[in-house]
Amino acid sequence: MIWGKNAQDLYPIHVGYVWKSVDEAVKDVKSGDVLLCGGFGLAGVPARMQQDTLLSALVKRKDVTKLTGVSNNAGAGDSGLGKLFNSKQIDKVVASYPGGNKAFEALYLKGEVSLELCPQGTLVERLRAHAAGIPAFFTPTGASTAVEDGAIPTRYNEGGFANGVKIPGIKKEMREFGGRKYIMEPAIAGDVAFVRAWKVDEVGNCVFRYTQQNFSTVMAKNAKLTIVEADQIVPTGSLSPNAIHVPGIYVDRIVQATAPKQIEHIKLAPSPSSSGEQSTLSAEKEFAQKMRHRTAKRAAKELKDGFYVNLGIGIPTLIPAYLEPGVRVWLQSENGILGMGPYPTEEQVDPDLINAGKETVTLLPGASVFDSSESFAMIRGGHVDLSILGAMQVSQAGDIANFMIPGKLVKGIGGAMDLVSNPDQTKVIVVMEHCAKDGTPKILKKCSLPLTGARTVSQIITELAVFDVDRKNGHLELVELQEGVTLEEVKAKTGCDFKVQRDLSKL
């Protein structure tokens, strides 16, 4: 407090926060910099299709090359980091789910770009740690997987997977605390952060809107140079101090956003008139859809009134439609929602309100929104009652593999490793087709694909049956058969032995 001054003289004055030229604002980015790019899918990404946005301005800087891009995703097409791939300015990416960018996936598999694949919750925590002056930390996420072993190559030799590994993955130090395995993860230090916010005042205080927060809050606090692209630049003092997500101390430059926001996947609530429409699917696809709904309907019985639940993409998203009468649950989405509602009507669509699958959603009364760091604290800390996700393979001991096929598919880890990281507190259920498309079993004695988590799954639900998993002793028990399914069929289509509950019931 400064005594003896007029009230108007007490406002701090910062010269140069707001930059009129985006090209000038990015002039200090240099080759070799670590560039943090906020956003989740296309929500909160600080670049759109017009010429006067941050990433578009950087693309003009042909002298800037060999960048390391840090982002949840690797962009898509000409949005996000996709712009810098197309201009060949990025040499390495640190990301959790780059598979949405097919161009990047192809470059990585051909050995033309480096990738440090990182679980989503670990990625945001590595960013938050550096911002808080913490050089490293221990996490259960990724223990006993390829992340701990460093088995995911950072870069293949020129020519790709068949020619071997040029830069191996990074092996992590492991320690035990309280009888559980944890691995050490180093903080990530950014040189420059590009962030998009809703309202920013003239001294850099930032307010985000709905799921616009995601990675943006921790990235803004992390970098040596933080540039914020603001939907609205407002006068100093016009934002409530209670509403600030990022204090101005972290922000160096502000530019005005002018391009419209985009939505990656517009998903609408079915209209009343559509319920009577005849299906246009082939008989084969219609049968497959019926089986997916059968699995979802059975999984819905595991959701109890008042549960906090995280649902993965695919079959899990069908489950809310089959909740039993009187059962109300809180759906958590790892990009920053607790209390997620159904898909919107056309009038309700909001580009700042998406789920973890980048689809448009709504909020229920009592919902809350937060950044990705807060979201994964809920998840790793065991505050979520139930996590339901899909899988490519599950072992009889409860191991799960669902994020990559070496040399062929690099979708990414996303939040899956975090979601299965505390199975004693958060029950993990896998819902999936019983067999792969080629007819081979997906329930196996041992997974052949890289693990997402070891001994984490407690229950497996398919269109054929329900299994309980004894994670401690490594055994499966068949507890239910789906309607019309025989024990012999389940035995023939399951790649491991299992016990059979004495009073086996049919649904």
Side-chain angles (χ1 to χ4, degrees):
M1 180 72 179
I2 303 175
W3 299 97
K5 295 281 187 180
N6 293 325
Q8 61 266 29
D9 295 330
L10 298 180
Y11 283 104
I13 296 177
H14 291 267
V15 179
Y17 261 71
V18 180
W19 291 54
K20 295 189 180 300
S21 167
V22 179
D23 292 333
E24 283 294 305
V26 303
K27 67 180 181 180
D28 293 319
V29 181
K30 59 187 184 301
S31 293
D33 273 353
V34 175
L35 172 64
L36 314 181
C37 184
F40 187 96
L42 297 181
V45 173
R48 300 292 190 249
M49 306 305 286
Q50 295 185 9
Q51 291 300 310
D52 55 348
T53 50
L54 290 171
L55 287 173
S56 295
L58 188 55
V59 167
K60 300 176 190 176
R61 296 276 313 280
K62 302 301 181 185
D63 58 309
V64 177
T65 60
K66 299 291 183 182
L67 294 170
T68 293
V70 181
S71 182
N72 179 60
N73 309 98
D78 198 40
S79 290
L81 291 183
K83 288 180 178 289
L84 300 180
F85 287 120
N86 297 340
S87 62
K88 302 188 185 303
Q89 290 171 276
I90 285 190
D91 184 61
K92 180 181 177 180
V93 168
V94 184
S96 98
Y97 197 82
N101 188 331
K102 294 294 183 184
F104 168 78
E105 185 178 26
L107 288 172
Y108 170 68
L109 292 173
K110 289 189 291 185
E112 295 179 14
V113 68
S114 297
L115 169 65
E116 187 178 337
L117 198 57
C118 185
Q120 193 175 133
T122 298
L123 178 58
V124 73
E125 197 64 15
R126 290 174 68 187
L127 291 162
R128 192 199 68 80
H130 176 74
I134 298 170
F137 59 91
F138 281 90
T139 175
T141 302
S144 301
T145 74
V147 171
E148 177 185 341
D149 298 336
I152 305 171
T154 298
R155 192 168 191 144
Y156 291 110
N157 283 317
E158 191 174 339
F161 176 77
N163 294 333
V165 175
K166 181 176 183 179
I167 305 174
I170 303 166
K171 186 175 176 61
K172 305 293 168 63
E173 178 185 341
M174 187 279 290
R175 291 189 191 178
E176 285 196 13
F177 299 91
R180 293 184 65 198
K181 290 181 67 176
Y182 294 77
I183 59 175
M184 191 177 79
E185 291 282 1
I188 295 174
D191 294 303
V192 183
F194 285 178
V195 170
R196 182 156 182 165
W198 178 35
K199 293 181 179 180
V200 184
D201 69 19
E202 294 166 322
V203 293
N205 294 311
C206 299
V207 177
F208 297 91
R209 187 172 180 273
Y210 295 138
T211 58
Q212 198 182 42
Q213 291 188 60
N214 50 69
F215 278 67
S216 296
T217 52
V218 294
M219 287 185 170
K221 297 172 184 178
N222 177 295
K224 297 173 186 174
L225 173 64
T226 292
I227 310 175
V228 178
E229 183 178 322
D231 294 338
Q232 300 176 38
I233 300 175
V234 299
T236 300
S238 62
L239 298 176
S240 167
N242 293 315
I244 305 300
H245 293 120
V246 175
I249 192 172
Y250 297 107
V251 175
D252 300 291
R253 299 174 187 178
I254 307 162
V255 298
Q256 178 68 56
T258 59
K261 296 178 181 180
Q262 296 178 344
I263 302 173
E264 198 160 343
H265 301 298
I266 297 178
K267 186 83 171 181
L268 300 177
S271 63
S273 59
S274 65
S275 58
E277 293 179 2
Q278 191 146 1
S279 172
T280 57
L281 298 174
S282 65
E284 182 182 6
K285 288 185 176 180
E286 191 162 351
F287 178 77
Q289 186 181 69
K290 181 180 177 182
M291 292 301 99
R292 287 161 61 87
H293 280 267
R294 171 194 271 190
T295 302
K297 185 176 181 180
R298 171 58 189 83
K301 293 179 179 295
E302 301 301 318
L303 278 65
K304 308 304 179 186
D305 191 41
F307 266 21
Y308 294 100
V309 182
N310 184 289
L311 300 177
I313 60 176
I315 295 176
T317 63
L318 304 174
I319 292 172
Y322 295 104
L323 288 176
E324 296 186 337
V327 173
R328 294 165 296 180
V329 298
W330 293 96
L331 296 182
Q332 197 258 16
S333 185
E334 57 259 40
N335 61 313
I337 300 176
L338 186 63
M340 182 170 62
Y343 295 124
T345 63
E346 195 167 354
E347 294 75 26
Q348 293 174 317
V349 168
D350 190 318
D352 291 325
L353 202 46
I354 63 168
N355 63 16
K358 291 88 175 177
E359 299 170 326
T360 47
V361 292
T362 58
L363 298 178
L364 296 178
S368 56
V369 292
F370 33 83
D371 70 8
S372 295
S373 178
E374 185 74 48
S375 181
F376 283 97
M378 295 178 189
I379 291 167
R380 277 192 314 274
H383 304 286
V384 176
D385 295 297
L386 195 59
S387 175
I388 305 180
L389 61 168
M392 291 187 269
Q393 294 177 345
V394 183
S395 80
Q396 66 182 30
D399 301 336
I400 176 174
N402 73 349
F403 76 95
M404 74 179 296
I405 300 173
K408 294 182 180 179
L409 178 70
V410 193
K411 282 292 182 187
I413 299 168
M417 281 193 182
D418 299 279
L419 286 164
V420 302
S421 68
N422 197 349
D424 292 334
Q425 298 296 321
T426 300
K427 183 179 179 180
V428 177
I429 298 177
V430 164
V431 292
M432 65 179 186
E433 290 86 1
H434 205 93
C435 296
K437 289 182 180 179
D438 62 2
T440 57
K442 296 173 69 173
I443 303 173
L444 305 166
K445 185 173 183 179
K446 185 177 181 180
C447 295
S448 60
L449 296 173
L451 294 187
T452 304
R455 294 184 181 249
T456 60
V457 178
S458 292
Q459 192 173 53
I460 305 167
I461 301 174
T462 76
E463 77 281 9
L464 301 183
V466 180
F467 293 92
D468 284 344
V469 183
D470 181 344
R471 294 187 289 112
K472 182 178 180 180
N473 296 306
H475 299 306
L476 280 183
E477 183 177 26
L478 177 66
V479 295
E480 292 179 17
L481 292 173
Q482 295 273 26
E483 185 178 355
V485 178
T486 65
L487 178 59
E488 290 69 29
E489 182 182 3
V490 174
K491 285 183 175 179
K493 294 181 177 180
T494 304
C496 62
D497 294 331
F498 53 84
K499 299 176 182 179
V500 179
Q501 191 176 75
R502 184 173 297 176
D503 59 344
L504 190 65
S505 62
K506 289 189 178 182
L507 294 177

